[in-house]
Amino acid sequence: MAKSEVQRCMDWLFQQQNEMESGNFGRGRQGVLEALAAQKTKASDIRNFRSNVDKALATDKLQEDSKRELDGNYNSVSVLSNKRQYCLETVADIASMEELVQNLSCEFDSRALHLVSSADANKQKGSNTTQSNESLARASQTCVQAVRSNWAWLFQVMQCAEVHLRNAAAYHEFFHEVEEAEYWMDTTLSRIHLSFDRTKLQGDKTDAVAIQGEIKDVLAAFLQWQTKIDYLFERAKQVVPVPQRTRPLKEPRPVIALTDYSTSEISFIEGDALTLVDNSDRNKWKVRNNAGQEAVVPAVIILIPSPLGEAMDAAIRLRLQLLSLWTGSVKRLGYQLIAFMLLVFRDWNEEEVALLQQLSLQDKEELLRVLKYIESTLQQHWHEYGDFHELQERILRLRMIIEEAPEGSQSNEKFLQTVVVQVKTLEDLLKKYQDFWAFWETYKTIVELIKQPEFLLVCDKWEQLRYITTAHFVKFWDTSLDVADGDITKQTASLALHETPKDEMISSEVTIAEEHQETSTETVSTSIDEEEHTFIITGVLDPRDSQRVLNLQEAIMLGVVDQAKGFYCNPLTGERKPMADAMSEGRILMDFVSKKKIREEKQSYGLITIKITRETRPYTITGVVDPVTEEKLSVTDAAHSGLLDTHNSTYRMESGEKISIQDAIHSGLVLVEYHEDPNAKPEVETKTYAVHGVVDQRKRSKVSFSDAVRDGLLDRDTGEYVNNLTHQKVGVQEAIMRGFIKARIVADPSKLEIDPRNKIVVEKTESAKRKFQRGMQAIKNV
């Protein structure tokens, strides 16, 4: 029974919604009034229907989802009803002016009838004289011409009134469309990514297809709105300042004549540029022509030309609003893309690592190319984003897995489909995102080229994206200061800004942001404190006369302070120096006001450097040591017994574990004789990793580098990772691959001032691959 009642309520609401959506607004005064009356009746019915909805909602058997759906549908219909009634009332106000036009038309008819009736009553019946009166005839002809001329003048005045009618219509239509566009653009585009939930991502191809589709749909939506906003922007240039026709002007302004006009006081022709002197009387304005003549003329024949500042402000505000929403969309899509990549570049287990290392050389090269493309593309804009740092670490692990793989392995086709194809999909996905970014950046450039008089979009950091008034930034433009002092302490100075500017454009209040960076050699920690210091500039020493003290305004006017570039200058010699130096030398006099810490950031990390020396000397294998008996075997006997695998270039240990021949050579298990080559030099490759975390298996948490060294999780001599549960040791590169060591490659370690106690250097010696092949050739010849 309850379900039936709910269903009846839903059906009635859907019917009302369809009727309102398909109903017209009428045209003309009578049609609009009929539509408005019908809507008021419908609105009353909808309000009265609330009791039926409440009755259905009060049913205990009704599920919560059904209750929310019914209540939501009623609210939607109610809002639609209110919106439609408001629109109809607005249209009714427009249509009501039809009565004014109708009254004017009736007045024309009445006046014409009255004029004809008056003429009949005073008609000349002739003259008692037999001779014609020539003066009377000429007067009659002149009267006919005057009647025609003044009716023609009324036609011209009506045409002028039509111009004002069109301008008034364009003015109202523009601002009405701006209001609707502003509301719906914010409503639709601000909710465009609400469906994104990173917890629902699986990291598979379905997610990639969904993200690609989302980028395509979102881009189409923004391009549609861009077309709409650009259209309104062009229309804004044509909107005339209608409000200025109804409000007295504070000062004269140029106007245009819509028709010819001539009296004994003034004369001008259509299109002449005039000066509006006084418009306090709405019907008659005082104007001045180019000859200096001034007179009161009908206001209807004068046009105040476009543009209207408020219209341009509204159009630019829409552009900034679209840019703001588009910027947010670029960020959210970037977050979504990186979240998806983190699932693709997961922490690989040992079995997956083995499969990855079995990829063919061609597939490995392709994967490395895509990895480089992904990292370099995102690095430009996302280097400060925490999840991107995690993505970099995972990309590093995968790159190490691929680069450290033994040669000659066969490709696993099944895993090729699950990994290589996934990574290739990421490349296509990233290209779609780049296209989206390119459209956004193009629009951003267009908007930034417009000089906006009232609003600014501030986006120095994405999380600070906001609107502020121009008044808030005027002082920054006029007297900005940028000061840098030394490498450790960074000082950034800018004038303190106020929401409302003071009378003087130049202020002596200065806010200086100081950033201190300290490095502790014991804990290998970096502490960055950012403080905001506020000073009052009390005076500036005149460099031409060190005894004379100028105020800041005088210093700027005399060229002693270059506010645009932040220099202290000597106007006579042309010598100039940064404001920081002038402050430190006491040439800029300041009083300290306040200090406030605005940011504190601490980091702890260490460095692990791996030096790999590759021998390039050719050699010949002369013997193989049996790991059990420690007897020296010939190459042929070792190959027959399975100690030496000539196909895979491996040596079998006593435990059955296989190691590479080069490792066996370094361990003395494979004996070789190096060929003399005076030009051969070892190749040294160095990789440095900045370690910011090490996994503590016992605590199941991440600890700092220094704590890991202290607790024995990292072997200082070998750099190996030590599992504190199993006491198993894992090499540095393998530990990074398996996620035990959280690290990123450092391009230039010399820029990091790290205490030697917090550095670990691991040296390895390998033989180059081309020399391995020579060694294998020697084996085959034995």
Side-chain angles (χ1 to χ4, degrees), residues 58-265:
T59 306
D60 294 336
K61 296 181 180 180
L62 190 62
Q63 295 181 353
E64 290 298 324
D65 292 342
S66 300
K67 289 183 178 181
R68 283 194 296 268
E69 181 180 5
L70 176 59
D71 191 57
N73 286 338
Y74 176 81
N75 291 334
S76 298
V77 172
S78 179
V79 171
L80 177 60
S81 175
N82 294 335
K83 175 66 174 177
R84 179 175 167 83
Q85 182 170 334
Y86 168 76
C87 291
L88 279 167
E89 290 172 350
T90 301
V91 175
D93 286 339
I94 299 173
S96 66
M97 288 185 284
E98 175 187 324
E99 187 174 355
L100 298 176
V101 179
Q102 181 64 36
N103 292 338
L104 182 60
S105 177
C106 292
E107 184 66 20
F108 288 153
D109 295 338
S110 299
R111 290 293 180 94
L113 181 60
H114 171 72
L115 291 172
V116 172
S117 299
S118 299
D120 289 340
N122 297 286
K123 184 182 296 183
Q124 296 289 339
K125 300 298 183 179
S127 175
N128 294 328
T129 62
T130 57
Q131 296 181 351
S132 61
N133 191 326
E134 294 182 2
S135 297
L136 182 61
R138 285 194 295 270
S140 296
Q141 183 63 32
T142 304
C143 181
V144 171
Q145 293 176 351
V147 168
R148 291 179 180 174
S149 176
N150 279 277
W151 277 111
W153 169 250
L154 286 179
F155 288 137
Q156 288 180 307
V157 171
M158 286 298 296
Q159 290 176 347
C160 295
E162 183 180 355
V163 171
H164 296 304
L165 175 61
R166 294 184 183 277
N167 288 339
Y171 171 83
H172 177 250
E173 290 171 6
F174 173 79
F175 282 100
H176 183 76
E177 288 188 40
V178 166
E179 181 183 2
E180 295 294 328
E182 194 168 16
Y183 173 79
W184 288 109
M185 180 171 63
D186 182 68
T187 300
T188 57
L189 297 182
S190 62
R191 302 176 183 177
I192 203 166
H193 296 286
L194 292 181
S195 59
F196 170 61
D197 183 0
R198 65 185 301 164
T199 61
K200 297 180 180 179
L201 292 176
Q202 301 296 323
D204 53 17
K205 192 172 183 179
T206 304
D207 287 339
V209 172
I211 296 175
Q212 280 188 347
E214 183 177 1
I215 293 176
K216 179 181 177 182
D217 295 341
V218 171
L219 179 60
F222 276 105
L223 291 179
Q224 287 177 352
W225 275 108
Q226 181 183 355
T227 303
K228 173 69 174 178
I229 300 307
D230 288 346
Y231 168 69
L232 288 174
F233 184 81
E234 294 301 321
R235 281 181 55 188
K237 301 175 184 177
Q238 308 302 324
V239 176
V240 299
V242 174
Q244 296 180 17
R245 297 189 65 86
T246 63
R247 296 194 296 260
L249 297 177
K250 297 181 179 179
E251 56 186 18
R253 63 157 299 162
V255 292
I256 297 176
L258 290 176
T259 186
D260 299 347
Y261 187 82
S262 179
T263 66
S264 59
E265 297 178 324

Side-chain angles (χ1 to χ4, degrees), residues 9 50 91 170 192 338 463 507 595 648 675 679 733:
C9 290
R50 180 70 213 191
V91 175
I192 203 166
I338 292 176
E463 62 271 17
S507 171
K595 179 177 70 173
N648 294 319
H675 300 174
N679 296 323
Q733 292 175 312

